[in-house]
Amino acid sequence: MEKVRLGVIGYGNMGTAHVDWVMEGKVPNMEIGAVCDIDVDRRNALKEKYPEISVFETAEDVFKSGLCDAVIIATPHYDHPPLVKKAFEYGLNVITEKPAGVYTKQVKEMNEAAKMSGKLFGIMYNQRTNPLYQKLRNMIKDGQLGHIKRITWIITDWYRPQAYHDSSSWRSTWKDEGGGALINQNPHQLDLWQWMFGMPDKIYAKASFGKYHDIEVEDDVVAFFEYDNGTTGQYITSTGEAPGTNRLEIACDMGRIVIEKGQFIFNRNVISEREFEKINTQPFGLPECWKCELPVEASVGEQHVGILKNFASVLLGNQDKLLAPGEEGINGLTISNSIHLSAWTGKTIDTKNFPHDEYYELLSERIKKSKVKKNVKRVVADTKNTY
Amino acid sequence: MEKVRLGVIGYGNMGTAHVDWVMEGKVPNMEIGAVCDIDVDRRNALKEKYPEISVFETAEDVFKSGLCDAVIIATPHYDHPPLVKKAFEYGLNVITEKPAGVYTKQVKEMNEAAKMSGKLFGIMYNQRTNPLYQKLRNMIKDGQLGHIKRITWIITDWYRPQAYHDSSSWRSTWKDEGGGALINQNPHQLDLWQWMFGMPDKIYAKASFGKYHDIEVEDDVVAFFEYDNGTTGQYITSTGEAPGTNRLEIACDMGRIVIEKGQFIFNRNVISEREFEKINTQPFGLPECWKCELPVEASVGEQHVGILKNFASVLLGNQDKLLAPGEEGINGLTISNSIHLSAWTGKTIDTKNFPHDEYYELLSERIKKSKVKKNVKRVVADTKNTY
């Protein structure tokens, strides 16, 4: 096998992009094996653009076609876990789009199936290819920050007008999307958080549902994270602010890091604040601190293409490790589900003993009451730079 | 009366500064009438520096001296309300240092006494003279921001090493100071918050006590504010971070304001986001937004001297209004007490029906258990630029 033959399940916004990237040769170790979509218009659009690609109606048609070594699941959220499991049954390797699923109960089962299958399982956490976050993660792992005191991420540059929510019937509903800002816009950041800082131990959150737009899901969230080691976190997100902010601040023994607007600023103490404490005698003493601007690549990294390349490379035996193993998708989702659950119940959630069943029950209540959307204007959106 | 004769009660860090400012002629409409301190060393220090000033041992000596038209109370926190009340009994006009007091129950009584006295009552909220916050407040009052969606203030540039906490026996104790970061470092910002944005209706908070240093009071706080009109606030403060941050961000219909490092940046939407919503048809539409840098004075305003001048000017009939009326001191203190109470009880606090007695009871429990401090090294600190 020289190239991995990729099946693309769902030719919507993301599926279209994946097909294009591979067809344009941006993923040299992959080729398109087959594509499916249940919508006839989407299939016709594909046939017109790429007459050479094998097109099917259903996922199972692709799974049993024998044309693919791996498949990428690019369907609506709820379908990710069942389709991943089905693909494993057919002996395929699988990449799932984010989120891993909508509720942890479902994703736990998917992870067990992945483990049993012995196949390669990845998730499209393309933000893990961003050099800014890779740099920060490596510095934390190397101990360059010392103890982390506080992490504050204000990530509100997700403005979504009513026209977005009305652009398809499944958008921004409990029944078909399973949430709002947390499940659609924030999975990357919630993953990056746990990838860089580890899982918070306790989560308390407030959320508003349909505060800024006519939707039933959350569009405004503030969450407190607590770690058993004393680190605190604040995660602030919204789809109702224009313009928004994307600012990550980390207070640590070695100083303060701010990542914003593509810049990585480290106000670095010459000695650790804890070491300074041992020698300081002045009531208003402060460790000497230097403002350091770290060199970072101008690009945001290889993004989706990087995840596809890495996946193929591991499958072909040319690289050891997946950058984004599928099993890790449950971590960001547990944070997301914990925020919902805390907002719904007013309780602080213990993420290590997350009540999977309780969450699913409360989500199911919302699914039952989910309103059928009116005024849907199906719009083919230009999604470039939005995922 | 051409000049207001000011009595200074307490010749500690702040009292010293007030005497100097007036003696140096920085407050042209004031002169020093008398000063007192219960500490003989402090009195001797004053006599040496200003032999012409009348010096007394107790506040009551000053009150009954007939040498003063007004007094400024610059004693430890708990003594502010009783001394303010006593001064009113002697028919004096009064300025109190911040905080107004330590617990609202005490400050309510003080405010009633102020009202009964018919005398002028001010509070040393010197940050109200800062042109940055005056500008923002005026813009809000004029409706230039539209509805405010979210306010996030990260104010952690209060690093206080152990040497600070050990610099006197009353510092950072429940018994003698009545709290930590909230009662000592943050009263100005909590006042500015309510002065600019109004009082939050609900407060939920987490706080750590003695997390970074060997103290019994809070040194790390995260608070959620909720307004009945939907505005949310997050207030993040700590005395354990070095270096710290002072960044105020406001998301509003008209865009986003960030005040940081003496700069006032307004990312201003050409039309209000709410108006944009009415005409937009694009799923990823965004209002056009201009980055505006507002002109602000390089200085931080007249600060303490400005408050003294304004107080004297109102007393002399040359100005109508106090910039910082003493009765408003209870607002910031109610926020401060609400944060404590929420952190202690895990409950969301209704500030409009603040349980003054419950707070006092829980504070009293802590006062009873307050530890006598060891290892106190009395240090005369250089407090310039720290208040």
Side-chain angles (χ1 to χ4, degrees):
Chain A
M1 181 160 66
E2 282 179 20
K3 286 191 178 195
V4 170
R5 297 171 304 158
L6 184 71
V8 178
I9 309 304
Y11 192 64
N13 287 337
M14 287 313 307
T16 308
H18 293 309
V19 170
D20 285 344
W21 287 316
V22 175
M23 291 303 287
E24 290 162 10
K26 290 184 178 156
V27 190
N29 51 5
M30 272 193 173
E31 60 191 17
I32 296 295
V35 178
C36 69
D37 201 291
I38 52 169
D39 183 303
V40 65
D41 293 339
R42 302 302 302 146
R43 290 200 300 277
N44 287 338
L46 175 68
K47 282 175 193 165
E48 197 168 318
K49 190 165 186 186
Y50 300 112
E52 68 272 37
I53 292 182
S54 303
V55 187
F56 297 94
E57 189 174 339
T58 72
E60 201 147 357
D61 294 336
V62 173
F63 296 161
K64 66 185 179 193
S65 69
L67 296 172
C68 305
D69 308 305
V71 290
I72 184 160
I73 311 296
T75 62
H77 305 156
Y78 278 104
D79 299 335
H80 294 174
L83 288 171
V84 169
K85 285 197 282 185
K86 183 64 80 179
F88 284 133
E89 285 171 23
Y90 278 93
L92 291 159
N93 301 285
V94 186
I95 311 172
T96 180
E97 263 295 338
K98 59 88 191 167
V102 173
Y103 50 97
T104 55
K105 187 180 162 81
Q106 187 191 34
V107 172
K108 261 175 63 187
E109 291 169 11
M110 175 178 78
N111 282 355
E112 280 156 25
K115 200 175 165 186
M116 296 289 289
S117 75
K119 294 292 168 184
L120 202 61
F121 180 33
I123 184 164
M124 189 47 76
Y125 278 148
N126 46 287
Q127 290 285 345
R128 289 194 185 186
T129 68
N130 188 319
L132 284 165
Y133 303 120
Q134 290 192 334
K135 178 78 181 167
L136 177 57
R137 181 170 185 259
N138 290 337
M139 289 173 72
I140 293 169
K141 283 204 173 291
D142 293 350
Q144 291 186 50
L145 274 54
H147 172 68
I148 293 179
K149 298 175 178 181
R150 174 177 60 82
I151 309 153
T152 304
W153 203 338
I154 306 176
I155 169 86
T156 58
D157 59 347
W158 307 120
Y159 183 65
R160 295 292 182 268
Q162 194 65 40
Y164 169 87
H165 302 293
D166 293 345
S167 67
S168 74
S169 60
W170 57 271
R171 278 225 188 278
S172 314
T173 62
W174 291 114
K175 183 169 166 288
D176 295 320
E177 189 158 19
L182 290 170
I183 208 76
N184 189 315
Q185 281 75 36
N186 285 278
H188 290 299
Q189 283 66 31
L190 297 178
D191 173 62
L192 289 173
W193 186 296
Q194 69 83 27
W195 187 58
M196 296 188 290
F197 312 121
M199 282 294 284
D201 297 295
K202 300 258 189 311
I203 293 180
Y204 178 89
K206 304 250 185 193
S208 299
F209 302 87
K211 182 178 193 175
Y212 296 118
H213 292 100
D214 182 19
I215 51 174
E216 58 191 27
V217 293
E218 77 283 357
D219 55 0
D220 195 40
V221 168
V222 186
F224 280 153
F225 298 161
E226 292 175 278
Y227 288 79
D228 290 343
N229 72 356
T231 301
T232 70
Q234 300 85 42
Y235 191 88
I236 299 168
T237 190
S238 172
T239 50
E241 297 181 9
T245 295
N246 181 358
R247 183 179 186 277
L248 173 60
E249 171 170 308
I250 300 118
C252 57
D253 286 349
M254 285 308 298
R256 188 188 66 154
I257 287 170
V258 173
I259 294 182
E260 188 177 13
K261 295 173 198 148
Q263 279 197 307
F264 190 128
I265 307 292
F266 188 4
N267 284 84
R268 187 177 180 280
N269 296 326
V270 170
I271 58 167
S272 149
E273 181 271 321
R274 292 285 98 179
E275 291 303 310
F276 170 82
E277 260 301 341
K278 292 179 190 162
I279 53 172
N280 171 62
T281 57
Q282 295 306 307
F284 289 93
L286 255 179
E288 184 178 334
C289 183
W290 297 5
K291 181 180 173 181
C292 309
E293 296 182 25
L294 275 65
V296 279
E297 291 172 41
S299 83
V300 291
E302 287 198 301
Q303 293 291 325
H304 304 79
V305 164
I307 295 291
L308 293 176
K309 275 188 194 172
N310 164 256
F311 186 87
S313 192
V314 173
L315 198 53
L316 296 168
N318 301 325
Q319 259 187 302
D320 277 347
K321 276 189 183 173
L322 285 183
L323 182 57
E327 292 82 353
E328 293 179 10
I330 200 167
N331 294 339
L333 186 66
T334 301
I335 300 177
S336 173
N337 284 187
S338 295
I339 293 174
H340 273 152
L341 190 58
S342 178
W344 292 338
T345 63
K347 290 181 190 160
T348 296
I349 309 302
D350 175 357
T351 61
K352 280 199 289 266
N353 299 293
F354 185 73
H356 306 281
D357 291 325
E358 183 187 357
Y359 180 79
Y360 181 58
E361 277 166 36
L362 293 179
L363 175 65
S364 300
E365 284 176 17
R366 280 156 185 84
I367 292 171
K368 265 181 229 152
K369 290 182 202 153
S370 210
K371 280 173 279 180
V372 175
K373 289 177 78 176
K374 297 164 194 164
N375 301 322
V376 168
K377 290 168 199 146
R378 201 170 160 197
V379 179
V380 179
D382 176 6
T383 58
K384 281 217 178 69
N385 305 318
T386 69
Y387 28 75
Chain B
M1 180 160 66
E2 282 179 22
K3 286 191 180 195
V4 170
R5 298 171 304 159
L6 183 71
V8 178
I9 309 302
Y11 192 64
N13 287 336
M14 287 313 307
T16 308
H18 293 308
V19 170
D20 285 346
W21 286 317
V22 175
M23 292 303 285
E24 289 161 11
K26 289 182 180 158
V27 190
N29 50 5
M30 272 194 172
E31 61 192 17
I32 295 296
V35 179
C36 69
D37 201 291
I38 51 169
D39 184 303
V40 65
D41 293 339
R42 301 302 303 147
R43 291 199 299 277
N44 287 338
L46 175 68
K47 282 176 193 162
E48 198 169 316
K49 190 164 185 188
Y50 300 112
E52 68 273 37
I53 293 182
S54 303
V55 187
F56 296 93
E57 187 174 340
T58 71
E60 202 148 357
D61 294 336
V62 173
F63 297 160
K64 66 186 180 193
S65 69
L67 298 171
C68 305
D69 308 305
V71 290
I72 183 161
I73 311 296
T75 62
H77 306 156
Y78 277 105
D79 298 336
H80 294 174
L83 287 172
V84 168
K85 285 198 283 186
K86 182 66 78 178
F88 284 133
E89 284 173 22
Y90 279 93
L92 291 160
N93 302 285
V94 186
I95 310 171
T96 180
E97 264 295 338
K98 58 87 193 166
V102 172
Y103 49 97
T104 54
K105 188 180 160 83
Q106 188 191 34
V107 172
K108 262 175 62 187
E109 291 169 11
M110 175 177 79
N111 282 355
E112 281 157 25
K115 200 174 165 188
M116 295 289 289
S117 75
K119 294 292 167 181
L120 202 60
F121 181 33
I123 184 164
M124 189 47 76
Y125 278 147
N126 45 287
Q127 290 285 345
R128 290 195 185 186
T129 68
N130 188 318
L132 284 165
Y133 304 120
Q134 290 191 334
K135 178 78 180 168
L136 177 56
R137 181 170 186 260
N138 289 337
M139 288 172 72
I140 293 169
K141 284 205 173 291
D142 292 350
Q144 292 186 50
L145 273 55
H147 172 67
I148 294 180
K149 298 176 178 181
R150 174 177 60 82
I151 310 153
T152 304
W153 203 338
I154 306 176
I155 170 85
T156 58
D157 60 347
W158 307 120
Y159 183 66
R160 294 293 183 268
Q162 194 65 41
Y164 169 88
H165 302 293
D166 294 345
S167 67
S168 73
S169 60
W170 57 271
R171 277 226 188 278
S172 314
T173 62
W174 292 115
K175 183 169 166 287
D176 294 320
E177 190 159 20
L182 290 169
I183 207 77
N184 188 315
Q185 281 75 37
N186 285 278
H188 290 300
Q189 283 66 29
L190 296 177
D191 173 62
L192 289 174
W193 186 296
Q194 70 82 28
W195 188 58
M196 296 188 289
F197 312 120
M199 281 295 284
D201 296 297
K202 300 261 188 310
I203 293 180
Y204 178 89
K206 304 251 185 193
S208 299
F209 303 88
K211 183 179 193 174
Y212 295 118
H213 292 100
D214 182 19
I215 51 175
E216 58 191 27
V217 293
E218 78 283 357
D219 55 0
D220 196 39
V221 168
V222 186
F224 280 154
F225 298 161
E226 292 175 278
Y227 288 79
D228 290 343
N229 71 356
T231 300
T232 70
Q234 300 84 41
Y235 192 87
I236 299 168
T237 190
S238 172
T239 50
E241 297 181 10
T245 295
N246 181 358
R247 182 179 186 279
L248 173 60
E249 171 171 306
I250 300 116
C252 57
D253 286 348
M254 285 307 298
R256 189 187 65 153
I257 287 170
V258 173
I259 294 182
E260 187 176 13
K261 295 172 196 149
Q263 279 197 308
F264 189 127
I265 307 293
F266 187 4
N267 284 84
R268 187 175 180 281
N269 294 326
V270 169
I271 59 166
S272 150
E273 181 271 322
R274 293 284 97 182
E275 290 304 310
F276 170 81
E277 261 301 341
K278 292 180 190 161
I279 52 170
N280 171 62
T281 58
Q282 295 305 307
F284 290 93
L286 255 177
E288 183 179 332
C289 183
W290 298 5
K291 180 179 173 182
C292 307
E293 297 181 25
L294 276 65
V296 279
E297 291 173 41
S299 83
V300 291
E302 286 199 302
Q303 293 291 324
H304 304 80
V305 164
I307 296 291
L308 293 176
K309 275 187 191 172
N310 164 255
F311 186 89
S313 192
V314 174
L315 199 52
L316 296 168
N318 301 324
Q319 260 186 303
D320 277 347
K321 275 189 183 173
L322 284 184
L323 182 56
E327 291 83 354
E328 293 179 11
I330 200 166
N331 294 338
L333 186 67
T334 301
I335 300 178
S336 173
N337 284 188
S338 295
I339 293 175
H340 273 152
L341 190 58
S342 178
W344 293 338
T345 62
K347 290 181 193 160
T348 296
I349 309 302
D350 175 358
T351 62
K352 280 199 290 264
N353 298 294
F354 185 74
H356 305 282
D357 291 325
E358 184 188 356
Y359 180 80
Y360 181 58
E361 276 165 35
L362 293 180
L363 174 65
S364 300
E365 284 175 18
R366 281 158 183 84
I367 291 171
K368 266 181 225 151
K369 290 181 201 154
S370 209
K371 278 173 281 183
V372 174
K373 288 177 77 173
K374 297 162 194 167
N375 300 322
V376 169
K377 290 167 199 148
R378 200 170 161 197
V379 179
V380 178
D382 177 5
T383 58
K384 280 216 178 72
N385 306 318
T386 69
Y387 27 75

